[in-house]
Amino acid sequence: MIIPVKKRIQIFDTTLRDGEQAPGASLTPEQKIVLAKKLAALGVDVLEPGFPVSSPGDFAAVETISRLVHGVEICGFARAVKGDIDAAVRATRDAERRRIHLFISSSDIHLRHQLRKSRPEVVAAAREMTAYAKQFSDAVEFTAMDAARTGIDDLIEMVEAVIEEGATIINLPDTVGYALPQEYGEMFRRVRAGARGADRVAFSAHCHNDLGLAVANSLAAIGGGATQIEVTVNGVGERTGNCALEELVMALETRGDALNAKTGIALEQLYETSRMISGAMHFPIAYNKPVVGRNAFQHESGIHQDGLLKDRSNYEIMDPERLGIPRSMIVLGKHSGRHALKDRAAKYGIALEGQELDALYDAFKVAADRQKTVSDDELLRMVSSATGQGVQVYELGDVQVLAGSAPHRVAAVSVRHLSSGREASYTSTGSGPLEAVISAIAQGIAEEIAFAGLELHSLGSGEDAQAEAAVMVERGGRPFRGTAVHRDIVMAAGLAYIAACNSALLSSEEEENAAAAQ
């Protein structure tokens, strides 16, 4: 049996250009440089850092990225206009490998209502500007904007013209997210079969998500012969965004045998890259977003939790740890069962059976019916009550924060070390109250535990709304997570930080005890 060789799909990342065009997603040149380096480490093949002619800041960002970011092809974006192409050429002149990417509309709708030019005029401009760009770069990508709504004969005419002038990559975008997968894949097949010279160039797909079909259409394009897909991290972009890099990559990774395709993306970098883009653009990630969403690998249903604890493959088709996602797959809520509760307690080194487990389960159900989830902080208190012994290492006492218009906030906290009974107070400052509180608590944690991140979410609305905080810490290179719920966001963050530290310390104690028993 001959195993077919998987087609290598080039990943063209336009997060810093098309993604930044989303309202409110603007990035500073300095942010673009940091993110460009991260995208290169992620393993994208082509990076489009901006639109050089659009602003001095974008030009400077593309120019600096071209000089500093290595191991990836840098793409200069331009309209089919000499001034745009000149700016793209200048901005990318220091790149190890560069590409000039020019575009012009191809559909009757755009020609009639936006460009207000005849088709012969537009084809002539496409031909002339492709030839002009070819003087400066061997790699020239041509985009027929709104290709998915262009008549096939008209599209083939334009594609043939730019291939004759030296275009090496032909991008046929679904600019407004209108196409259906079968239509989009068929468009690629027909253009590749009908355009003279199509066998000499690569074909690319750029899909928008207006009907929620960007990833499906991109996969259909691969089936139609595309070897490059244009994506953004988290699917950011104009209107409803672009094909999401992480979703496309994991579709190819998970179903690569059926799709006969693969990428060169470093999967372990996906989660961290997603979080960096979300933070820099101030675009929160939907809880139910595939691959990187908060709920993507979390399970509350008791049936699912039981099946998952027996074998991950029962309810997960991807391994989150391969993507750099901390393993926190069990969410304790009112649908959770005894198996999940017992397993979570065991992660803290606490073995529960019989009456102790029943007592904990009864208390847990009362709390879970009252609120959406039961946090780690609250669970540890329940375990202490059910077993009659303290199981936490540290406990947060009083918290006071001084806020105001001054540049720094002041926080004073008390931290109790439960096994020794010692309690001490600590004071610190920060640019905000949360930073000040976390910094003060950290002084009371004797062990080497590094703060790694904080998420805050609102549970409900109105005067009785509560804040849910999730804090990530690292100890010995391993990530740990703690959660807490409180009506005060500062208290929620502080309690979650203590819970995360307890998780790290109790997990370490459990491992040490297990090793000693062997």
Side-chain angles (χ1 to χ4, degrees), residues 400-404 408-412 427-430 432-433 436-437 440:
Q400 296 291 330
V401 181
L402 179 62
H408 296 288
R409 309 294 185 264
V410 179
T427 302
S428 187
T429 61
V437 165

Short mmCIF file of all heavy atoms in Angstrom, two decimals, residues 400-404 408-412 427-430 432-433 436-437 440:
data_model
loop_
_atom_site.label_atom_id
_atom_site.label_comp_id
_atom_site.label_asym_id
_atom_site.label_seq_id
_atom_site.Cartn_x
_atom_site.Cartn_y
_atom_site.Cartn_z
N GLN A 400 -6.54 45.37 52.00
CA GLN A 400 -6.88 46.78 51.91
C GLN A 400 -6.15 47.37 50.71
O GLN A 400 -4.96 47.13 50.52
CB GLN A 400 -6.46 47.54 53.18
CG GLN A 400 -7.17 47.08 54.45
CD GLN A 400 -8.64 47.46 54.46
OE1 GLN A 400 -9.03 48.47 53.88
NE2 GLN A 400 -9.45 46.66 55.14
N VAL A 401 -6.88 48.14 49.89
CA VAL A 401 -6.28 48.77 48.71
C VAL A 401 -6.61 50.25 48.73
O VAL A 401 -7.76 50.64 48.93
CB VAL A 401 -6.81 48.15 47.40
CG1 VAL A 401 -6.15 48.81 46.20
CG2 VAL A 401 -6.57 46.65 47.38
N LEU A 402 -5.57 51.07 48.50
CA LEU A 402 -5.76 52.51 48.41
C LEU A 402 -5.72 52.90 46.94
O LEU A 402 -4.69 52.77 46.28
CB LEU A 402 -4.66 53.24 49.19
CG LEU A 402 -4.72 54.78 49.17
CD1 LEU A 402 -6.01 55.27 49.83
CD2 LEU A 402 -3.50 55.37 49.87
N ALA A 403 -6.86 53.34 46.41
CA ALA A 403 -6.94 53.74 45.01
C ALA A 403 -7.06 55.26 44.92
O ALA A 403 -7.33 55.94 45.92
CB ALA A 403 -8.15 53.08 44.33
N GLY A 404 -6.87 55.79 43.74
CA GLY A 404 -6.96 57.23 43.55
C GLY A 404 -6.33 57.65 42.24
O GLY A 404 -6.09 56.82 41.36
N HIS A 408 0.50 55.34 41.30
CA HIS A 408 0.59 53.99 41.87
C HIS A 408 -0.51 53.76 42.90
O HIS A 408 -0.95 54.68 43.58
CB HIS A 408 1.95 53.77 42.52
CG HIS A 408 3.08 53.84 41.54
ND1 HIS A 408 3.33 52.85 40.62
CD2 HIS A 408 4.03 54.80 41.34
CE1 HIS A 408 4.37 53.19 39.89
NE2 HIS A 408 4.82 54.36 40.30
N ARG A 409 -0.94 52.50 43.00
CA ARG A 409 -1.91 52.09 44.02
C ARG A 409 -1.16 51.35 45.12
O ARG A 409 -0.14 50.70 44.86
CB ARG A 409 -2.98 51.17 43.40
CG ARG A 409 -3.63 51.74 42.16
CD ARG A 409 -4.45 53.00 42.45
NE ARG A 409 -5.16 53.46 41.26
CZ ARG A 409 -4.70 54.40 40.45
NH1 ARG A 409 -3.53 54.95 40.67
NH2 ARG A 409 -5.42 54.78 39.41
N VAL A 410 -1.68 51.42 46.32
CA VAL A 410 -1.04 50.78 47.47
C VAL A 410 -1.96 49.69 48.00
O VAL A 410 -3.17 49.91 48.17
CB VAL A 410 -0.74 51.80 48.58
CG1 VAL A 410 -0.10 51.10 49.78
CG2 VAL A 410 0.16 52.90 48.06
N ALA A 411 -1.40 48.51 48.26
CA ALA A 411 -2.17 47.39 48.79
C ALA A 411 -1.48 46.84 50.04
O ALA A 411 -0.25 46.74 50.09
CB ALA A 411 -2.33 46.29 47.76
N ALA A 412 -2.29 46.50 51.03
CA ALA A 412 -1.79 45.84 52.24
C ALA A 412 -2.60 44.57 52.45
O ALA A 412 -3.84 44.59 52.39
CB ALA A 412 -1.93 46.76 53.45
N THR A 427 2.98 44.82 52.30
CA THR A 427 2.52 46.00 51.58
C THR A 427 3.29 46.12 50.28
O THR A 427 4.50 45.83 50.22
CB THR A 427 2.75 47.28 52.41
OG1 THR A 427 2.06 47.14 53.65
CG2 THR A 427 2.20 48.51 51.69
N SER A 428 2.58 46.55 49.21
CA SER A 428 3.24 46.73 47.92
C SER A 428 2.48 47.77 47.11
O SER A 428 1.36 48.18 47.49
CB SER A 428 3.32 45.41 47.15
OG SER A 428 4.09 45.57 45.98
N THR A 429 3.08 48.19 46.02
CA THR A 429 2.44 49.15 45.12
C THR A 429 2.37 48.55 43.72
O THR A 429 3.06 47.58 43.40
CB THR A 429 3.23 50.47 45.05
OG1 THR A 429 4.55 50.21 44.55
CG2 THR A 429 3.31 51.13 46.42
N GLY A 430 1.51 49.14 42.90
CA GLY A 430 1.38 48.70 41.51
C GLY A 430 0.70 49.79 40.70
O GLY A 430 0.13 50.74 41.26
N GLY A 432 -1.93 49.46 39.14
CA GLY A 432 -3.36 49.30 39.37
C GLY A 432 -3.57 48.50 40.63
O GLY A 432 -2.63 47.89 41.18
N PRO A 433 -4.80 48.45 41.16
CA PRO A 433 -5.05 47.74 42.41
C PRO A 433 -4.77 46.24 42.32
O PRO A 433 -4.31 45.63 43.29
CB PRO A 433 -6.53 48.02 42.71
CG PRO A 433 -7.12 48.46 41.39
CD PRO A 433 -6.00 49.14 40.66
N ALA A 436 -1.04 45.67 42.53
CA ALA A 436 -0.57 45.93 43.89
C ALA A 436 -0.89 44.77 44.82
O ALA A 436 -0.05 44.36 45.63
CB ALA A 436 -1.20 47.23 44.40
N VAL A 437 -2.11 44.21 44.72
CA VAL A 437 -2.51 43.10 45.59
C VAL A 437 -1.70 41.85 45.29
O VAL A 437 -1.20 41.17 46.20
CB VAL A 437 -4.02 42.83 45.44
CG1 VAL A 437 -4.38 41.48 46.04
CG2 VAL A 437 -4.82 43.92 46.13
N ALA A 440 1.76 42.22 46.65
CA ALA A 440 1.82 42.11 48.11
C ALA A 440 1.70 40.66 48.56
O ALA A 440 2.45 40.21 49.44
CB ALA A 440 0.70 42.96 48.73
#
